[in-house]
PDB file of all heavy atoms in Angstrom:
ATOM      1  N   ARG A 217      91.216 101.042 102.032  1.00 98.00           N
ATOM      2  CA  ARG A 217      90.713  99.673 101.960  1.00 98.00           C
ATOM      3  C   ARG A 217      91.362  98.936 100.800  1.00 98.00           C
ATOM      4  O   ARG A 217      91.670  99.528  99.767  1.00 98.00           O
ATOM      5  CB  ARG A 217      89.198  99.669 101.777  1.00 98.00           C
ATOM      6  CG  ARG A 217      88.471 100.321 102.936  1.00 98.00           C
ATOM      7  CD  ARG A 217      86.951 100.272 102.761  1.00 98.00           C
ATOM      8  NE  ARG A 217      86.284 101.060 103.769  1.00 98.00           N
ATOM      9  CZ  ARG A 217      86.095 100.688 105.027  1.00 98.00           C
ATOM     10  NH1 ARG A 217      86.548  99.528 105.436  1.00 98.00           N
ATOM     11  NH2 ARG A 217      85.473 101.463 105.891  1.00 98.00           N
ATOM     12  N   GLY A 218      91.544  97.636 100.982  1.00 98.00           N
ATOM     13  CA  GLY A 218      92.114  96.804  99.930  1.00 98.00           C
ATOM     14  C   GLY A 218      91.587  95.385 100.030  1.00 98.00           C
ATOM     15  O   GLY A 218      91.177  94.945 101.109  1.00 98.00           O
ATOM     16  N   THR A 219      91.574  94.693  98.918  1.00 98.00           N
ATOM     17  CA  THR A 219      91.107  93.310  98.893  1.00 98.00           C
ATOM     18  C   THR A 219      92.060  92.456  98.062  1.00 98.00           C
ATOM     19  O   THR A 219      92.806  92.955  97.219  1.00 98.00           O
ATOM     20  CB  THR A 219      89.689  93.181  98.295  1.00 98.00           C
ATOM     21  OG1 THR A 219      89.709  93.684  96.953  1.00 98.00           O
ATOM     22  CG2 THR A 219      88.665  93.951  99.097  1.00 98.00           C
ATOM     23  N   ALA A 220      91.999  91.174  98.306  1.00 97.00           N
ATOM     24  CA  ALA A 220      92.728  90.189  97.509  1.00 97.00           C
ATOM     25  C   ALA A 220      91.823  88.971  97.367  1.00 97.00           C
ATOM     26  O   ALA A 220      91.047  88.656  98.271  1.00 97.00           O
ATOM     27  CB  ALA A 220      94.036  89.804  98.184  1.00 97.00           C
ATOM     28  N   ARG A 221      91.919  88.314  96.237  1.00 97.00           N
ATOM     29  CA  ARG A 221      91.114  87.114  96.002  1.00 97.00           C
ATOM     30  C   ARG A 221      92.037  86.017  95.501  1.00 97.00           C
ATOM     31  O   ARG A 221      92.752  86.190  94.512  1.00 97.00           O
ATOM     32  CB  ARG A 221      90.012  87.390  94.990  1.00 97.00           C
ATOM     33  CG  ARG A 221      89.142  86.182  94.724  1.00 97.00           C
ATOM     34  CD  ARG A 221      87.964  86.552  93.816  1.00 97.00           C
ATOM     35  NE  ARG A 221      87.118  85.417  93.618  1.00 97.00           N
ATOM     36  CZ  ARG A 221      86.131  85.053  94.417  1.00 97.00           C
ATOM     37  NH1 ARG A 221      85.874  85.750  95.483  1.00 97.00           N
ATOM     38  NH2 ARG A 221      85.389  83.999  94.154  1.00 97.00           N
ATOM     39  N   ARG A 222      92.000  84.886  96.192  1.00 94.00           N
ATOM     40  CA  ARG A 222      92.827  83.755  95.793  1.00 94.00           C
ATOM     41  C   ARG A 222      92.218  83.082  94.580  1.00 94.00           C
ATOM     42  O   ARG A 222      91.028  82.793  94.527  1.00 94.00           O
ATOM     43  CB  ARG A 222      92.944  82.744  96.946  1.00 94.00           C
ATOM     44  CG  ARG A 222      93.870  81.572  96.610  1.00 94.00           C
ATOM     45  CD  ARG A 222      94.002  80.613  97.773  1.00 94.00           C
ATOM     46  NE  ARG A 222      92.768  79.891  98.046  1.00 94.00           N
ATOM     47  CZ  ARG A 222      92.389  78.772  97.420  1.00 94.00           C
ATOM     48  NH1 ARG A 222      93.140  78.239  96.486  1.00 94.00           N
ATOM     49  NH2 ARG A 222      91.262  78.170  97.750  1.00 94.00           N
ATOM     50  N   ASN A 223      93.055  82.818  93.601  1.00 90.00           N
ATOM     51  CA  ASN A 223      92.638  82.043  92.443  1.00 90.00           C
ATOM     52  C   ASN A 223      92.413  80.597  92.922  1.00 90.00           C
ATOM     53  O   ASN A 223      93.278  80.037  93.606  1.00 90.00           O
ATOM     54  CB  ASN A 223      93.728  82.097  91.366  1.00 90.00           C
ATOM     55  CG  ASN A 223      93.303  81.453  90.081  1.00 90.00           C
ATOM     56  OD1 ASN A 223      92.632  80.419  90.070  1.00 90.00           O
ATOM     57  ND2 ASN A 223      93.702  82.053  88.982  1.00 90.00           N
ATOM     58  N   PRO A 224      91.287  80.000  92.597  1.00 89.00           N
ATOM     59  CA  PRO A 224      91.008  78.637  93.070  1.00 89.00           C
ATOM     60  C   PRO A 224      92.075  77.605  92.716  1.00 89.00           C
ATOM     61  O   PRO A 224      92.202  76.588  93.401  1.00 89.00           O
ATOM     62  CB  PRO A 224      89.678  78.292  92.412  1.00 89.00           C
ATOM     63  CG  PRO A 224      89.048  79.604  92.104  1.00 89.00           C
ATOM     64  CD  PRO A 224      90.182  80.547  91.827  1.00 89.00           C
ATOM     65  N   ILE A 225      92.879  77.848  91.679  1.00 90.00           N
ATOM     66  CA  ILE A 225      93.910  76.865  91.320  1.00 90.00           C
ATOM     67  C   ILE A 225      95.198  77.063  92.130  1.00 90.00           C
ATOM     68  O   ILE A 225      96.081  76.222  92.086  1.00 90.00           O
ATOM     69  CB  ILE A 225      94.228  76.890  89.807  1.00 90.00           C
ATOM     70  CG1 ILE A 225      94.809  78.234  89.380  1.00 90.00           C
ATOM     71  CG2 ILE A 225      92.996  76.549  88.998  1.00 90.00           C
ATOM     72  CD1 ILE A 225      95.339  78.248  87.958  1.00 90.00           C
ATOM     73  N   ASP A 226      95.288  78.192  92.874  1.00 90.00           N
ATOM     74  CA  ASP A 226      96.474  78.441  93.700  1.00 90.00           C
ATOM     75  C   ASP A 226      96.358  77.729  95.040  1.00 90.00           C
ATOM     76  O   ASP A 226      95.261  77.481  95.537  1.00 90.00           O
ATOM     77  CB  ASP A 226      96.649  79.944  93.954  1.00 90.00           C
ATOM     78  CG  ASP A 226      97.022  80.698  92.699  1.00 90.00           C
ATOM     79  OD1 ASP A 226      97.550  80.076  91.755  1.00 90.00           O
ATOM     80  OD2 ASP A 226      96.781  81.914  92.661  1.00 90.00           O
ATOM     81  N   ARG A 227      97.526  77.420  95.628  1.00 90.00           N
ATOM     82  CA  ARG A 227      97.544  76.817  96.959  1.00 90.00           C
ATOM     83  C   ARG A 227      97.034  77.829  97.983  1.00 90.00           C
ATOM     84  O   ARG A 227      97.303  79.021  97.852  1.00 90.00           O
ATOM     85  CB  ARG A 227      98.952  76.380  97.332  1.00 90.00           C
ATOM     86  CG  ARG A 227      99.472  75.240  96.483  1.00 90.00           C
ATOM     87  CD  ARG A 227     100.824  74.772  96.944  1.00 90.00           C
ATOM     88  NE  ARG A 227     101.782  75.883  96.914  1.00 90.00           N
ATOM     89  CZ  ARG A 227     102.898  75.931  97.621  1.00 90.00           C
ATOM     90  NH1 ARG A 227     103.228  74.942  98.407  1.00 90.00           N
ATOM     91  NH2 ARG A 227     103.707  76.955  97.534  1.00 90.00           N
ATOM     92  N   PRO A 228      96.326  77.386  99.009  1.00 89.00           N
ATOM     93  CA  PRO A 228      95.829  78.314 100.033  1.00 89.00           C
ATOM     94  C   PRO A 228      96.941  78.718 101.018  1.00 89.00           C
ATOM     95  O   PRO A 228      97.268  77.970 101.935  1.00 89.00           O
ATOM     96  CB  PRO A 228      94.726  77.526 100.727  1.00 89.00           C
ATOM     97  CG  PRO A 228      95.084  76.090 100.524  1.00 89.00           C
ATOM     98  CD  PRO A 228      95.811  76.023  99.206  1.00 89.00           C
ATOM     99  N   ILE A 229      97.510  79.874 100.787  1.00 90.00           N
ATOM    100  CA  ILE A 229      98.535  80.413 101.681  1.00 90.00           C
ATOM    101  C   ILE A 229      98.009  81.772 102.167  1.00 90.00           C
ATOM    102  O   ILE A 229      98.170  82.789 101.480  1.00 90.00           O
ATOM    103  CB  ILE A 229      99.896  80.556 100.965  1.00 90.00           C
ATOM    104  CG1 ILE A 229     100.330  79.193 100.415  1.00 90.00           C
ATOM    105  CG2 ILE A 229     100.947  81.120 101.920  1.00 90.00           C
ATOM    106  CD1 ILE A 229     101.558  79.234  99.543  1.00 90.00           C
ATOM    107  N   PRO A 230      97.354  81.795 103.336  1.00 90.00           N
ATOM    108  CA  PRO A 230      96.686  83.012 103.811  1.00 90.00           C
ATOM    109  C   PRO A 230      97.600  84.237 103.909  1.00 90.00           C
ATOM    110  O   PRO A 230      97.136  85.359 103.697  1.00 90.00           O
ATOM    111  CB  PRO A 230      96.168  82.622 105.196  1.00 90.00           C
ATOM    112  CG  PRO A 230      96.053  81.138 105.160  1.00 90.00           C
ATOM    113  CD  PRO A 230      97.157  80.677 104.250  1.00 90.00           C
ATOM    114  N   GLU A 231      98.879  84.043 104.217  1.00 94.00           N
ATOM    115  CA  GLU A 231      99.779  85.181 104.373  1.00 94.00           C
ATOM    116  C   GLU A 231      99.879  86.014 103.093  1.00 94.00           C
ATOM    117  O   GLU A 231     100.010  87.233 103.150  1.00 94.00           O
ATOM    118  CB  GLU A 231     101.185  84.721 104.789  1.00 94.00           C
ATOM    119  CG  GLU A 231     101.253  84.092 106.166  1.00 94.00           C
ATOM    120  CD  GLU A 231     100.836  82.611 106.169  1.00 94.00           C
ATOM    121  OE1 GLU A 231     100.728  81.997 105.083  1.00 94.00           O
ATOM    122  OE2 GLU A 231     100.610  82.085 107.260  1.00 94.00           O
ATOM    123  N   ILE A 232      99.814  85.346 101.945  1.00 95.00           N
ATOM    124  CA  ILE A 232      99.913  86.067 100.670  1.00 95.00           C
ATOM    125  C   ILE A 232      98.693  86.959 100.485  1.00 95.00           C
ATOM    126  O   ILE A 232      98.810  88.125 100.103  1.00 95.00           O
ATOM    127  CB  ILE A 232     100.094  85.096  99.491  1.00 95.00           C
ATOM    128  CG1 ILE A 232     101.446  84.401  99.615  1.00 95.00           C
ATOM    129  CG2 ILE A 232      99.982  85.841  98.158  1.00 95.00           C
ATOM    130  CD1 ILE A 232     101.674  83.298  98.590  1.00 95.00           C
ATOM    131  N   GLY A 233      97.524  86.441 100.772  1.00 96.00           N
ATOM    132  CA  GLY A 233      96.308  87.253 100.689  1.00 96.00           C
ATOM    133  C   GLY A 233      96.356  88.422 101.651  1.00 96.00           C
ATOM    134  O   GLY A 233      95.960  89.543 101.321  1.00 96.00           O
ATOM    135  N   ASP A 234      96.860  88.162 102.870  1.00 97.00           N
ATOM    136  CA  ASP A 234      96.999  89.231 103.864  1.00 97.00           C
ATOM    137  C   ASP A 234      97.925  90.324 103.338  1.00 97.00           C
ATOM    138  O   ASP A 234      97.621  91.522 103.452  1.00 97.00           O
ATOM    139  CB  ASP A 234      97.565  88.689 105.177  1.00 97.00           C
ATOM    140  CG  ASP A 234      96.642  87.722 105.889  1.00 97.00           C
ATOM    141  OD1 ASP A 234      95.472  87.560 105.463  1.00 97.00           O
ATOM    142  OD2 ASP A 234      97.099  87.110 106.870  1.00 97.00           O
ATOM    143  N   GLU A 235      99.062  89.922 102.778  1.00 97.00           N
ATOM    144  CA  GLU A 235     100.043  90.886 102.280  1.00 97.00           C
ATOM    145  C   GLU A 235      99.484  91.713 101.131  1.00 97.00           C
ATOM    146  O   GLU A 235      99.649  92.943 101.095  1.00 97.00           O
ATOM    147  CB  GLU A 235     101.309  90.158 101.830  1.00 97.00           C
ATOM    148  CG  GLU A 235     102.082  89.523 102.969  1.00 97.00           C
ATOM    149  CD  GLU A 235     103.097  88.503 102.518  1.00 97.00           C
ATOM    150  OE1 GLU A 235     103.108  88.102 101.324  1.00 97.00           O
ATOM    151  OE2 GLU A 235     103.904  88.088 103.373  1.00 97.00           O
ATOM    152  N   LEU A 236      98.816  91.049 100.208  1.00 97.00           N
ATOM    153  CA  LEU A 236      98.254  91.771  99.064  1.00 97.00           C
ATOM    154  C   LEU A 236      97.158  92.735  99.503  1.00 97.00           C
ATOM    155  O   LEU A 236      97.138  93.905  99.090  1.00 97.00           O
ATOM    156  CB  LEU A 236      97.705  90.791  98.022  1.00 97.00           C
ATOM    157  CG  LEU A 236      98.738  90.075  97.170  1.00 97.00           C
ATOM    158  CD1 LEU A 236      98.067  88.985  96.337  1.00 97.00           C
ATOM    159  CD2 LEU A 236      99.455  91.060  96.280  1.00 97.00           C
ATOM    160  N   ALA A 237      96.239  92.256 100.330  1.00 98.00           N
ATOM    161  CA  ALA A 237      95.138  93.117 100.781  1.00 98.00           C
ATOM    162  C   ALA A 237      95.669  94.291 101.598  1.00 98.00           C
ATOM    163  O   ALA A 237      95.231  95.432 101.424  1.00 98.00           O
ATOM    164  CB  ALA A 237      94.124  92.302 101.585  1.00 98.00           C
ATOM    165  N   ALA A 238      96.628  94.034 102.493  1.00 98.00           N
ATOM    166  CA  ALA A 238      97.192  95.105 103.321  1.00 98.00           C
ATOM    167  C   ALA A 238      97.932  96.125 102.457  1.00 98.00           C
ATOM    168  O   ALA A 238      97.794  97.336 102.670  1.00 98.00           O
ATOM    169  CB  ALA A 238      98.127  94.523 104.374  1.00 98.00           C
ATOM    170  N   SER A 239      98.698  95.662 101.477  1.00 98.00           N
ATOM    171  CA  SER A 239      99.431  96.601 100.622  1.00 98.00           C
ATOM    172  C   SER A 239      98.464  97.451  99.809  1.00 98.00           C
ATOM    173  O   SER A 239      98.695  98.656  99.622  1.00 98.00           O
ATOM    174  CB  SER A 239     100.405  95.864  99.698  1.00 98.00           C
ATOM    175  OG  SER A 239      99.726  95.107  98.716  1.00 98.00           O
TER     176      SER A 239
END
Side-chain angles (χ1 to χ4, degrees):
R217 298 182 188 283
T219 60
R221 181 174 182 86
R222 183 178 68 84
N223 187 321
I225 63 171
D226 292 338
R227 293 184 302 158
I229 303 173
E231 294 82 13
I232 294 173
D234 294 352
E235 292 164 350
L236 285 171
S239 69

